[in-house]
Amino acid sequence: MIKRIDHIGIAVRDLEQQVKLYSEVFGLKCEGTEEVPDQKVNVAMFPVGEVRIELLQPTTDDSPVAKFLEKNGEGVHHIAYLVEDLESNLKSIEEKEVRLIDREPRTGAGGHKIAFLHPKSTFGVLTELCEH
Ligand code: CMX
C-alpha cells in the first residue's frame, strides 16, 4: 500500500524563523510556501532526497496545529506516506478497524489528496496518507 515516506510534518510557531534555520543553517532549498486553508496552516516545504520536511504554522487559533503547539510545543507533528488510489486504501484500512480522521480525501499542500488516520489507532503517531 505505502510507496515511500512523502513528508514529515513539523509544527512551528514562527514559520519565517524556522525557514531561516532550514535554509541558512541546514543549507536546504525551500520548494515553496503556501497557505492550506482546509487545514488552517501555512506550510513551507524542504525536499531532502525523496522526502520533504513540511514546516507547519497554524493560521487560526482553532487549527489542529495550534492545539498541538499549545499542548506539546514545537516538534514533529505527523508522518505522511505516499500511496496510490487513496480512496480504496482508506476503505481497506477502515475494514481493518483502524480509526480514520478523514473517511474521504481532503485537499492538502500542493493540491494533493490527503487523509489522516487517528493517532489513537496508530500507536500515538499522527499518520497521513497522500496521493499526488
Ligand atoms: N500526534 C500524536 N498524537 C496527537 C497529535 C499528533 N499530532 N495530535 C493530537 N494527538 C493526541 C493528543 O495528544 C490526545 O491524546 P490524549 O487523549 O492521550 O491526550 C488525542 O490525540 C486527542 O487530541 P486532542 O488534543 O484532544 O485533539 P483533537 O481530538 O481535537 O484532535 C486530531 C486531534 C489528531 C484528531 C486532530 O489534530 C486532527 O484532525 N488532525 C488531522 C489534521 C491535521 O493535523 N492538520 C494539520 C496538518 C495539515 C497538513 O499537513 O497540511
Side-chain angles (χ1 to χ4, degrees), residues 7 9-11 36 38-41 43 45 54 56 63-68 71-72 76-78 80 99 101-102 106-109 114-120 122-128:
H7 65 266
I10 298 178
V36 184
D38 193 42
Q39 296 292 334
K40 300 176 179 169
V41 288
V43 310
M45 285 289 196
E54 180 188 54
L56 298 157
S63 162
V65 175
K67 203 166 173 189
F68 177 88
K71 192 168 172 189
N72 306 285
V76 174
H77 178 262
H78 66 268
R99 186 170 156 201
I101 293 173
D102 304 304
R106 303 169 65 142
T107 304
I114 64 167
F116 283 89
L117 315 184
H118 201 283
K120 291 291 170 197
T122 50
F123 301 96
V125 179
L126 178 59
T127 301
E128 176 186 334

mmCIF file of all heavy atoms in Angstrom, residues 7 9-11 36 38-41 43 45 54 56 63-68 71-72 76-78 80 99 101-102 106-109 114-120 122-128, ligand 1:
data_model
loop_
_atom_site.group_PDB
_atom_site.id
_atom_site.type_symbol
_atom_site.label_atom_id
_atom_site.label_comp_id
_atom_site.label_asym_id
_atom_site.label_seq_id
_atom_site.Cartn_x
_atom_site.Cartn_y
_atom_site.Cartn_z
ATOM 1 N N HIS A 7 6.404 12.999 3.293
ATOM 2 C CA HIS A 7 6.937 14.125 4.068
ATOM 3 C C HIS A 7 6.764 13.905 5.558
ATOM 4 O O HIS A 7 6.006 13.029 5.987
ATOM 5 C CB HIS A 7 6.300 15.456 3.624
ATOM 6 C CG HIS A 7 4.828 15.575 3.894
ATOM 7 N ND1 HIS A 7 3.858 15.266 2.971
ATOM 8 C CD2 HIS A 7 4.152 15.976 4.992
ATOM 9 C CE1 HIS A 7 2.655 15.489 3.487
ATOM 10 N NE2 HIS A 7 2.818 15.907 4.725
ATOM 11 N N GLY A 9 5.856 16.194 8.884
ATOM 12 C CA GLY A 9 5.310 17.497 9.275
ATOM 13 C C GLY A 9 5.859 17.916 10.635
ATOM 14 O O GLY A 9 5.861 17.129 11.580
ATOM 15 N N ILE A 10 6.298 19.154 10.714
ATOM 16 C CA ILE A 10 6.843 19.694 11.965
ATOM 17 C C ILE A 10 6.058 20.957 12.323
ATOM 18 O O ILE A 10 5.926 21.871 11.496
ATOM 19 C CB ILE A 10 8.351 20.019 11.809
ATOM 20 C CG1 ILE A 10 9.115 18.727 11.498
ATOM 21 C CG2 ILE A 10 8.904 20.699 13.064
ATOM 22 C CD1 ILE A 10 10.602 18.908 11.274
ATOM 23 N N ALA A 11 5.516 20.989 13.530
ATOM 24 C CA ALA A 11 4.727 22.142 13.974
ATOM 25 C C ALA A 11 5.667 23.236 14.474
ATOM 26 O O ALA A 11 6.555 22.967 15.290
ATOM 27 C CB ALA A 11 3.778 21.714 15.100
ATOM 28 N N VAL A 36 -2.662 26.545 3.316
ATOM 29 C CA VAL A 36 -3.612 25.446 3.045
ATOM 30 C C VAL A 36 -4.854 25.728 3.891
ATOM 31 O O VAL A 36 -4.909 25.338 5.075
ATOM 32 C CB VAL A 36 -2.986 24.067 3.391
ATOM 33 C CG1 VAL A 36 -3.943 22.931 3.016
ATOM 34 C CG2 VAL A 36 -1.646 23.880 2.691
ATOM 35 N N ASP A 38 -7.880 24.627 4.019
ATOM 36 C CA ASP A 38 -8.657 23.488 4.523
ATOM 37 C C ASP A 38 -8.065 22.941 5.827
ATOM 38 O O ASP A 38 -8.775 22.390 6.660
ATOM 39 C CB ASP A 38 -8.672 22.401 3.439
ATOM 40 C CG ASP A 38 -9.701 21.326 3.724
ATOM 41 O OD1 ASP A 38 -10.815 21.691 4.148
ATOM 42 O OD2 ASP A 38 -9.398 20.139 3.545
ATOM 43 N N GLN A 39 -6.744 23.099 5.988
ATOM 44 C CA GLN A 39 -6.076 22.574 7.189
ATOM 45 C C GLN A 39 -5.696 23.693 8.171
ATOM 46 O O GLN A 39 -5.074 23.436 9.200
ATOM 47 C CB GLN A 39 -4.815 21.786 6.787
ATOM 48 C CG GLN A 39 -5.083 20.542 5.951
ATOM 49 C CD GLN A 39 -5.788 19.450 6.734
ATOM 50 O OE1 GLN A 39 -5.680 19.363 7.950
ATOM 51 N NE2 GLN A 39 -6.525 18.602 6.043
ATOM 52 N N LYS A 40 -6.001 24.926 7.795
ATOM 53 C CA LYS A 40 -5.727 26.092 8.656
ATOM 54 C C LYS A 40 -4.252 26.206 9.035
ATOM 55 O O LYS A 40 -3.893 26.352 10.217
ATOM 56 C CB LYS A 40 -6.605 26.038 9.912
ATOM 57 C CG LYS A 40 -8.091 26.056 9.578
ATOM 58 C CD LYS A 40 -8.933 25.902 10.814
ATOM 59 C CE LYS A 40 -10.407 25.955 10.438
ATOM 60 N NZ LYS A 40 -11.276 25.559 11.501
ATOM 61 N N VAL A 41 -3.406 26.068 8.010
ATOM 62 C CA VAL A 41 -1.958 26.176 8.212
ATOM 63 C C VAL A 41 -1.285 26.909 7.052
ATOM 64 O O VAL A 41 -1.805 26.927 5.941
ATOM 65 C CB VAL A 41 -1.270 24.781 8.339
ATOM 66 C CG1 VAL A 41 -1.592 24.112 9.657
ATOM 67 C CG2 VAL A 41 -1.609 23.869 7.159
ATOM 68 N N VAL A 43 2.381 26.502 5.157
ATOM 69 C CA VAL A 43 3.423 25.474 5.113
ATOM 70 C C VAL A 43 4.616 25.940 4.284
ATOM 71 O O VAL A 43 4.479 26.734 3.352
ATOM 72 C CB VAL A 43 2.919 24.120 4.551
ATOM 73 C CG1 VAL A 43 1.641 23.669 5.242
ATOM 74 C CG2 VAL A 43 2.693 24.165 3.062
ATOM 75 N N MET A 45 7.908 23.895 2.386
ATOM 76 C CA MET A 45 8.384 22.546 2.046
ATOM 77 C C MET A 45 9.869 22.558 1.701
ATOM 78 O O MET A 45 10.299 23.357 0.861
ATOM 79 C CB MET A 45 7.629 22.020 0.831
ATOM 80 C CG MET A 45 6.223 21.582 1.108
ATOM 81 S SD MET A 45 6.203 20.058 2.074
ATOM 82 C CE MET A 45 4.503 19.561 1.814
ATOM 83 N N GLU A 54 8.015 19.283 6.029
ATOM 84 C CA GLU A 54 6.911 20.241 5.902
ATOM 85 C C GLU A 54 6.786 21.010 7.211
ATOM 86 O O GLU A 54 6.363 20.454 8.235
ATOM 87 C CB GLU A 54 5.601 19.487 5.617
ATOM 88 C CG GLU A 54 4.378 20.375 5.470
ATOM 89 C CD GLU A 54 3.076 19.577 5.372
ATOM 90 O OE1 GLU A 54 2.797 18.737 6.247
ATOM 91 O OE2 GLU A 54 2.345 19.779 4.399
ATOM 92 N N LEU A 56 4.935 23.583 9.527
ATOM 93 C CA LEU A 56 3.511 23.925 9.637
ATOM 94 C C LEU A 56 3.286 24.991 10.691
ATOM 95 O O LEU A 56 3.611 24.760 11.869
ATOM 96 C CB LEU A 56 2.724 22.699 10.107
ATOM 97 C CG LEU A 56 2.713 21.454 9.249
ATOM 98 C CD1 LEU A 56 2.380 20.242 10.107
ATOM 99 C CD2 LEU A 56 1.676 21.621 8.148
ATOM 100 N N SER A 63 -6.920 25.916 14.650
ATOM 101 C CA SER A 63 -6.208 24.989 13.761
ATOM 102 C C SER A 63 -5.735 23.778 14.566
ATOM 103 O O SER A 63 -5.326 23.928 15.718
ATOM 104 C CB SER A 63 -4.996 25.730 13.171
ATOM 105 O OG SER A 63 -4.068 24.813 12.646
ATOM 106 N N PRO A 64 -5.766 22.557 13.972
ATOM 107 C CA PRO A 64 -5.240 21.388 14.703
ATOM 108 C C PRO A 64 -3.786 21.593 15.139
ATOM 109 O O PRO A 64 -3.380 21.094 16.190
ATOM 110 C CB PRO A 64 -5.323 20.246 13.686
ATOM 111 C CG PRO A 64 -6.109 20.729 12.533
ATOM 112 C CD PRO A 64 -6.251 22.220 12.629
ATOM 113 N N VAL A 65 -3.046 22.366 14.350
ATOM 114 C CA VAL A 65 -1.632 22.596 14.711
ATOM 115 C C VAL A 65 -1.526 23.562 15.896
ATOM 116 O O VAL A 65 -0.631 23.424 16.738
ATOM 117 C CB VAL A 65 -0.828 23.088 13.479
ATOM 118 C CG1 VAL A 65 0.599 23.435 13.859
ATOM 119 C CG2 VAL A 65 -0.817 22.006 12.398
ATOM 120 N N ALA A 66 -2.460 24.518 16.002
ATOM 121 C CA ALA A 66 -2.449 25.430 17.156
ATOM 122 C C ALA A 66 -2.684 24.634 18.438
ATOM 123 O O ALA A 66 -2.002 24.831 19.455
ATOM 124 C CB ALA A 66 -3.524 26.497 16.989
ATOM 125 N N LYS A 67 -3.613 23.692 18.370
ATOM 126 C CA LYS A 67 -3.928 22.861 19.537
ATOM 127 C C LYS A 67 -2.717 21.997 19.918
ATOM 128 O O LYS A 67 -2.382 21.844 21.091
ATOM 129 C CB LYS A 67 -5.134 21.973 19.192
ATOM 130 C CG LYS A 67 -5.875 21.511 20.408
ATOM 131 C CD LYS A 67 -7.230 20.934 20.053
ATOM 132 C CE LYS A 67 -7.859 20.339 21.302
ATOM 133 N NZ LYS A 67 -9.071 19.578 21.043
ATOM 134 N N PHE A 68 -2.062 21.464 18.895
ATOM 135 C CA PHE A 68 -0.878 20.624 19.124
ATOM 136 C C PHE A 68 0.228 21.449 19.793
ATOM 137 O O PHE A 68 0.858 21.005 20.761
ATOM 138 C CB PHE A 68 -0.384 20.053 17.785
ATOM 139 C CG PHE A 68 0.872 19.230 17.894
ATOM 140 C CD1 PHE A 68 0.812 17.860 18.167
ATOM 141 C CD2 PHE A 68 2.126 19.809 17.746
ATOM 142 C CE1 PHE A 68 1.977 17.101 18.280
ATOM 143 C CE2 PHE A 68 3.295 19.061 17.853
ATOM 144 C CZ PHE A 68 3.217 17.706 18.115
ATOM 145 N N LYS A 71 -0.395 22.171 23.426
ATOM 146 C CA LYS A 71 -0.242 21.009 24.314
ATOM 147 C C LYS A 71 1.202 20.494 24.379
ATOM 148 O O LYS A 71 1.680 20.117 25.448
ATOM 149 C CB LYS A 71 -1.159 19.890 23.797
ATOM 150 C CG LYS A 71 -1.318 18.757 24.764
ATOM 151 C CD LYS A 71 -2.445 17.834 24.346
ATOM 152 C CE LYS A 71 -2.447 16.609 25.245
ATOM 153 N NZ LYS A 71 -3.354 15.583 24.789
ATOM 154 N N ASN A 72 1.884 20.489 23.217
ATOM 155 C CA ASN A 72 3.200 19.817 23.153
ATOM 156 C C ASN A 72 4.373 20.741 22.880
ATOM 157 O O ASN A 72 5.519 20.325 22.995
ATOM 158 C CB ASN A 72 3.202 18.765 22.026
ATOM 159 C CG ASN A 72 2.064 17.787 22.177
ATOM 160 O OD1 ASN A 72 2.098 16.909 23.021
ATOM 161 N ND2 ASN A 72 1.027 17.968 21.385
ATOM 162 N N VAL A 76 7.868 17.369 15.981
ATOM 163 C CA VAL A 76 7.317 16.509 14.923
ATOM 164 C C VAL A 76 5.810 16.324 15.149
ATOM 165 O O VAL A 76 5.376 15.958 16.242
ATOM 166 C CB VAL A 76 8.031 15.131 14.887
ATOM 167 C CG1 VAL A 76 7.354 14.203 13.882
ATOM 168 C CG2 VAL A 76 9.502 15.315 14.518
ATOM 169 N N HIS A 77 5.041 16.593 14.108
ATOM 170 C CA HIS A 77 3.576 16.573 14.216
ATOM 171 C C HIS A 77 2.962 15.345 13.536
ATOM 172 O O HIS A 77 2.031 14.743 14.049
ATOM 173 C CB HIS A 77 3.040 17.872 13.591
ATOM 174 C CG HIS A 77 1.555 17.982 13.583
ATOM 175 N ND1 HIS A 77 0.771 17.670 12.488
ATOM 176 C CD2 HIS A 77 0.682 18.353 14.550
ATOM 177 C CE1 HIS A 77 -0.497 17.859 12.778
ATOM 178 N NE2 HIS A 77 -0.590 18.281 14.024
ATOM 179 N N HIS A 78 3.482 14.970 12.350
ATOM 180 C CA HIS A 78 2.930 13.790 11.666
ATOM 181 C C HIS A 78 3.921 13.239 10.638
ATOM 182 O O HIS A 78 4.867 13.922 10.246
ATOM 183 C CB HIS A 78 1.594 14.123 10.979
ATOM 184 C CG HIS A 78 1.685 15.089 9.829
ATOM 185 N ND1 HIS A 78 1.527 16.451 9.973
ATOM 186 C CD2 HIS A 78 1.912 14.894 8.496
ATOM 187 C CE1 HIS A 78 1.651 17.041 8.796
ATOM 188 N NE2 HIS A 78 1.891 16.114 7.879
ATOM 189 N N ALA A 80 3.790 11.462 6.785
ATOM 190 C CA ALA A 80 2.899 11.266 5.635
ATOM 191 C C ALA A 80 3.511 10.259 4.678
ATOM 192 O O ALA A 80 4.678 10.369 4.299
ATOM 193 C CB ALA A 80 2.663 12.591 4.919
ATOM 194 N N ARG A 99 -9.004 3.534 13.055
ATOM 195 C CA ARG A 99 -9.871 4.722 13.058
ATOM 196 C C ARG A 99 -9.355 5.800 12.108
ATOM 197 O O ARG A 99 -8.182 6.182 12.184
ATOM 198 C CB ARG A 99 -9.924 5.267 14.490
ATOM 199 C CG ARG A 99 -10.883 6.383 14.689
ATOM 200 C CD ARG A 99 -11.010 6.637 16.191
ATOM 201 N NE ARG A 99 -11.432 7.980 16.446
ATOM 202 C CZ ARG A 99 -11.256 8.604 17.592
ATOM 203 N NH1 ARG A 99 -10.647 8.002 18.603
ATOM 204 N NH2 ARG A 99 -11.684 9.837 17.758
ATOM 205 N N ILE A 101 -9.526 9.694 10.593
ATOM 206 C CA ILE A 101 -9.997 11.072 10.836
ATOM 207 C C ILE A 101 -10.784 11.508 9.605
ATOM 208 O O ILE A 101 -11.844 12.104 9.712
ATOM 209 C CB ILE A 101 -8.809 12.016 11.112
ATOM 210 C CG1 ILE A 101 -8.132 11.642 12.442
ATOM 211 C CG2 ILE A 101 -9.271 13.477 11.143
ATOM 212 C CD1 ILE A 101 -6.855 12.403 12.732
ATOM 213 N N ASP A 102 -10.228 11.203 8.444
ATOM 214 C CA ASP A 102 -10.870 11.580 7.179
ATOM 215 C C ASP A 102 -11.299 10.320 6.430
ATOM 216 O O ASP A 102 -10.452 9.536 6.012
ATOM 217 C CB ASP A 102 -9.887 12.366 6.297
ATOM 218 C CG ASP A 102 -9.341 13.586 7.007
ATOM 219 O OD1 ASP A 102 -10.151 14.409 7.460
ATOM 220 O OD2 ASP A 102 -8.105 13.700 7.132
ATOM 221 N N ARG A 106 -9.101 14.861 1.521
ATOM 222 C CA ARG A 106 -9.225 16.323 1.540
ATOM 223 C C ARG A 106 -8.091 16.896 0.701
ATOM 224 O O ARG A 106 -7.248 16.142 0.223
ATOM 225 C CB ARG A 106 -9.112 16.827 2.982
ATOM 226 C CG ARG A 106 -10.135 16.217 3.893
ATOM 227 C CD ARG A 106 -9.825 16.541 5.330
ATOM 228 N NE ARG A 106 -9.940 17.966 5.562
ATOM 229 C CZ ARG A 106 -10.438 18.491 6.681
ATOM 230 N NH1 ARG A 106 -10.856 17.702 7.646
ATOM 231 N NH2 ARG A 106 -10.501 19.791 6.835
ATOM 232 N N THR A 107 -8.076 18.229 0.570
ATOM 233 C CA THR A 107 -7.018 18.844 -0.240
ATOM 234 C C THR A 107 -5.922 19.387 0.666
ATOM 235 O O THR A 107 -6.181 20.199 1.548
ATOM 236 C CB THR A 107 -7.606 19.989 -1.090
ATOM 237 O OG1 THR A 107 -8.675 19.448 -1.859
ATOM 238 C CG2 THR A 107 -6.547 20.571 -2.024
ATOM 239 N N GLY A 108 -4.701 18.891 0.441
ATOM 240 C CA GLY A 108 -3.562 19.337 1.235
ATOM 241 C C GLY A 108 -2.621 20.205 0.417
ATOM 242 O O GLY A 108 -2.976 20.676 -0.675
ATOM 243 N N ALA A 109 -1.417 20.409 0.956
ATOM 244 C CA ALA A 109 -0.415 21.237 0.286
ATOM 245 C C ALA A 109 -0.159 20.708 -1.129
ATOM 246 O O ALA A 109 -0.171 19.496 -1.359
ATOM 247 C CB ALA A 109 0.873 21.241 1.103
ATOM 248 N N ILE A 114 -5.223 14.189 0.466
ATOM 249 C CA ILE A 114 -4.656 13.695 1.728
ATOM 250 C C ILE A 114 -5.771 13.170 2.632
ATOM 251 O O ILE A 114 -6.938 13.544 2.479
ATOM 252 C CB ILE A 114 -3.869 14.799 2.488
ATOM 253 C CG1 ILE A 114 -4.795 15.951 2.925
ATOM 254 C CG2 ILE A 114 -2.734 15.351 1.649
ATOM 255 C CD1 ILE A 114 -4.151 16.892 3.929
ATOM 256 N N ALA A 115 -5.391 12.319 3.579
ATOM 257 C CA ALA A 115 -6.322 11.867 4.615
ATOM 258 C C ALA A 115 -5.504 11.437 5.826
ATOM 259 O O ALA A 115 -4.402 10.902 5.679
ATOM 260 C CB ALA A 115 -7.170 10.706 4.111
ATOM 261 N N PHE A 116 -6.054 11.715 7.011
ATOM 262 C CA PHE A 116 -5.347 11.375 8.256
ATOM 263 C C PHE A 116 -5.982 10.168 8.945
ATOM 264 O O PHE A 116 -7.209 9.994 8.917
ATOM 265 C CB PHE A 116 -5.392 12.566 9.213
ATOM 266 C CG PHE A 116 -4.413 13.662 8.846
ATOM 267 C CD1 PHE A 116 -4.792 14.683 7.981
ATOM 268 C CD2 PHE A 116 -3.127 13.659 9.345
ATOM 269 C CE1 PHE A 116 -3.897 15.684 7.632
ATOM 270 C CE2 PHE A 116 -2.218 14.656 9.003
ATOM 271 C CZ PHE A 116 -2.604 15.670 8.143
ATOM 272 N N LEU A 117 -5.138 9.382 9.597
ATOM 273 C CA LEU A 117 -5.583 8.294 10.470
ATOM 274 C C LEU A 117 -5.432 8.790 11.902
ATOM 275 O O LEU A 117 -4.514 9.571 12.198
ATOM 276 C CB LEU A 117 -4.716 7.040 10.276
ATOM 277 C CG LEU A 117 -4.391 6.628 8.830
ATOM 278 C CD1 LEU A 117 -3.613 5.321 8.834
ATOM 279 C CD2 LEU A 117 -5.661 6.496 8.006
ATOM 280 N N HIS A 118 -6.300 8.331 12.793
ATOM 281 C CA HIS A 118 -6.268 8.869 14.157
ATOM 282 C C HIS A 118 -5.074 8.314 14.941
ATOM 283 O O HIS A 118 -4.824 7.106 14.921
ATOM 284 C CB HIS A 118 -7.580 8.534 14.880
ATOM 285 C CG HIS A 118 -7.806 9.451 16.036
ATOM 286 N ND1 HIS A 118 -7.142 9.310 17.233
ATOM 287 C CD2 HIS A 118 -8.581 10.567 16.147
ATOM 288 C CE1 HIS A 118 -7.525 10.279 18.053
ATOM 289 N NE2 HIS A 118 -8.388 11.050 17.425
ATOM 290 N N PRO A 119 -4.342 9.201 15.646
ATOM 291 C CA PRO A 119 -3.144 8.738 16.376
ATOM 292 C C PRO A 119 -3.446 7.684 17.452
ATOM 293 O O PRO A 119 -2.572 6.903 17.814
ATOM 294 C CB PRO A 119 -2.558 10.016 17.007
ATOM 295 C CG PRO A 119 -3.640 11.040 16.939
ATOM 296 C CD PRO A 119 -4.510 10.664 15.783
ATOM 297 N N LYS A 120 -4.717 7.644 17.904
ATOM 298 C CA LYS A 120 -5.071 6.630 18.913
ATOM 299 C C LYS A 120 -5.103 5.228 18.297
ATOM 300 O O LYS A 120 -5.071 4.230 18.995
ATOM 301 C CB LYS A 120 -6.437 6.957 19.549
ATOM 302 C CG LYS A 120 -6.399 8.184 20.427
ATOM 303 C CD LYS A 120 -5.583 7.927 21.687
ATOM 304 C CE LYS A 120 -5.321 9.200 22.457
ATOM 305 N NZ LYS A 120 -4.236 9.079 23.425
ATOM 306 N N THR A 122 -2.900 4.454 15.782
ATOM 307 C CA THR A 122 -1.599 4.233 15.136
ATOM 308 C C THR A 122 -0.456 4.451 16.146
ATOM 309 O O THR A 122 0.571 5.051 15.807
ATOM 310 C CB THR A 122 -1.431 5.165 13.909
ATOM 311 O OG1 THR A 122 -1.752 6.505 14.315
ATOM 312 C CG2 THR A 122 -2.327 4.767 12.756
ATOM 313 N N PHE A 123 -0.682 3.983 17.349
ATOM 314 C CA PHE A 123 0.342 3.996 18.397
ATOM 315 C C PHE A 123 0.939 5.384 18.623
ATOM 316 O O PHE A 123 2.160 5.545 18.750
ATOM 317 C CB PHE A 123 1.435 2.955 18.104
ATOM 318 C CG PHE A 123 0.889 1.554 18.005
ATOM 319 C CD1 PHE A 123 0.583 0.997 16.777
ATOM 320 C CD2 PHE A 123 0.626 0.822 19.156
ATOM 321 C CE1 PHE A 123 0.034 -0.270 16.683
ATOM 322 C CE2 PHE A 123 0.079 -0.449 19.078
ATOM 323 C CZ PHE A 123 -0.217 -1.004 17.844
ATOM 324 N N GLY A 124 0.056 6.395 18.643
ATOM 325 C CA GLY A 124 0.495 7.738 19.024
ATOM 326 C C GLY A 124 1.167 8.549 17.930
ATOM 327 O O GLY A 124 1.621 9.661 18.187
ATOM 328 N N VAL A 125 1.207 7.978 16.701
ATOM 329 C CA VAL A 125 1.817 8.739 15.600
ATOM 330 C C VAL A 125 0.701 9.197 14.657
ATOM 331 O O VAL A 125 0.022 8.365 14.046
ATOM 332 C CB VAL A 125 2.829 7.876 14.805
ATOM 333 C CG1 VAL A 125 3.425 8.684 13.647
ATOM 334 C CG2 VAL A 125 3.934 7.373 15.727
ATOM 335 N N LEU A 126 0.502 10.518 14.576
ATOM 336 C CA LEU A 126 -0.478 11.018 13.607
ATOM 337 C C LEU A 126 0.038 10.681 12.212
ATOM 338 O O LEU A 126 1.156 11.064 11.840
ATOM 339 C CB LEU A 126 -0.667 12.534 13.775
ATOM 340 C CG LEU A 126 -1.636 13.198 12.789
ATOM 341 C CD1 LEU A 126 -3.039 12.609 12.864
ATOM 342 C CD2 LEU A 126 -1.686 14.709 13.016
ATOM 343 N N THR A 127 -0.773 9.917 11.466
ATOM 344 C CA THR A 127 -0.335 9.373 10.168
ATOM 345 C C THR A 127 -1.211 9.923 9.055
ATOM 346 O O THR A 127 -2.440 9.889 9.154
ATOM 347 C CB THR A 127 -0.423 7.825 10.213
ATOM 348 O OG1 THR A 127 0.411 7.369 11.287
ATOM 349 C CG2 THR A 127 0.042 7.201 8.910
ATOM 350 N N GLU A 128 -0.545 10.419 8.029
ATOM 351 C CA GLU A 128 -1.250 10.962 6.863
ATOM 352 C C GLU A 128 -0.953 10.063 5.671
ATOM 353 O O GLU A 128 0.168 9.566 5.528
ATOM 354 C CB GLU A 128 -0.730 12.389 6.590
ATOM 355 C CG GLU A 128 -1.298 13.049 5.344
ATOM 356 C CD GLU A 128 -0.642 14.410 5.039
ATOM 357 O OE1 GLU A 128 -0.131 15.080 5.960
ATOM 358 O OE2 GLU A 128 -0.639 14.778 3.848
HETATM 359 N N1 CMX B 1 0.464 13.326 17.120
HETATM 360 C C1 CMX B 1 0.183 12.377 18.064
HETATM 361 N N2 CMX B 1 -0.874 12.456 18.906
HETATM 362 C C2 CMX B 1 -1.678 13.532 18.773
HETATM 363 C C3 CMX B 1 -1.453 14.541 17.812
HETATM 364 C C4 CMX B 1 -0.332 14.405 16.971
HETATM 365 N N3 CMX B 1 -0.041 15.313 16.041
HETATM 366 N N4 CMX B 1 -2.424 15.463 17.917
HETATM 367 C C5 CMX B 1 -3.230 15.060 18.909
HETATM 368 N N5 CMX B 1 -2.782 13.901 19.412
HETATM 369 C C6 CMX B 1 -3.361 13.140 20.531
HETATM 370 C C7 CMX B 1 -3.495 14.036 21.763
HETATM 371 O O1 CMX B 1 -2.293 14.049 22.488
HETATM 372 C C8 CMX B 1 -4.623 13.378 22.504
HETATM 373 O O2 CMX B 1 -4.154 12.283 23.251
HETATM 374 P P1 CMX B 1 -4.580 12.104 24.805
HETATM 375 O O3 CMX B 1 -6.075 11.900 24.750
HETATM 376 O O4 CMX B 1 -3.837 10.883 25.221
HETATM 377 O O5 CMX B 1 -4.195 13.356 25.499
HETATM 378 C C9 CMX B 1 -5.522 12.859 21.390
HETATM 379 O O6 CMX B 1 -4.702 12.781 20.217
HETATM 380 C C10 CMX B 1 -6.687 13.791 21.118
HETATM 381 O O7 CMX B 1 -6.113 15.037 20.851
HETATM 382 P P2 CMX B 1 -6.724 16.464 21.203
HETATM 383 O O8 CMX B 1 -5.636 17.404 21.525
HETATM 384 O O9 CMX B 1 -7.858 16.312 22.155
HETATM 385 O O10 CMX B 1 -7.166 16.990 19.830
HETATM 386 P P3 CMX B 1 -8.378 16.647 18.935
HETATM 387 O O11 CMX B 1 -9.051 15.381 19.302
HETATM 388 O O12 CMX B 1 -9.207 17.874 18.864
HETATM 389 O O13 CMX B 1 -7.642 16.439 17.554
HETATM 390 C C11 CMX B 1 -6.614 15.165 15.877
HETATM 391 C C12 CMX B 1 -6.600 15.549 17.358
HETATM 392 C C13 CMX B 1 -5.366 14.347 15.609
HETATM 393 C C14 CMX B 1 -7.897 14.362 15.599
HETATM 394 C C15 CMX B 1 -6.629 16.497 15.032
HETATM 395 O O14 CMX B 1 -5.463 17.231 15.315
HETATM 396 C C16 CMX B 1 -6.709 16.237 13.537
HETATM 397 O O15 CMX B 1 -7.796 16.068 12.994
HETATM 398 N N6 CMX B 1 -5.563 16.194 12.827
HETATM 399 C C17 CMX B 1 -5.540 15.961 11.391
HETATM 400 C C18 CMX B 1 -5.446 17.239 10.603
HETATM 401 C C19 CMX B 1 -4.179 17.992 10.879
HETATM 402 O O16 CMX B 1 -3.428 17.711 11.813
HETATM 403 N N7 CMX B 1 -3.920 19.018 10.032
HETATM 404 C C20 CMX B 1 -2.736 19.844 10.128
HETATM 405 C C21 CMX B 1 -1.654 19.445 9.156
HETATM 406 C C22 CMX B 1 -2.137 19.635 7.727
HETATM 407 C C23 CMX B 1 -1.128 19.424 6.647
HETATM 408 O O17 CMX B 1 -0.165 18.659 6.787
HETATM 409 O O18 CMX B 1 -1.336 20.044 5.586
#
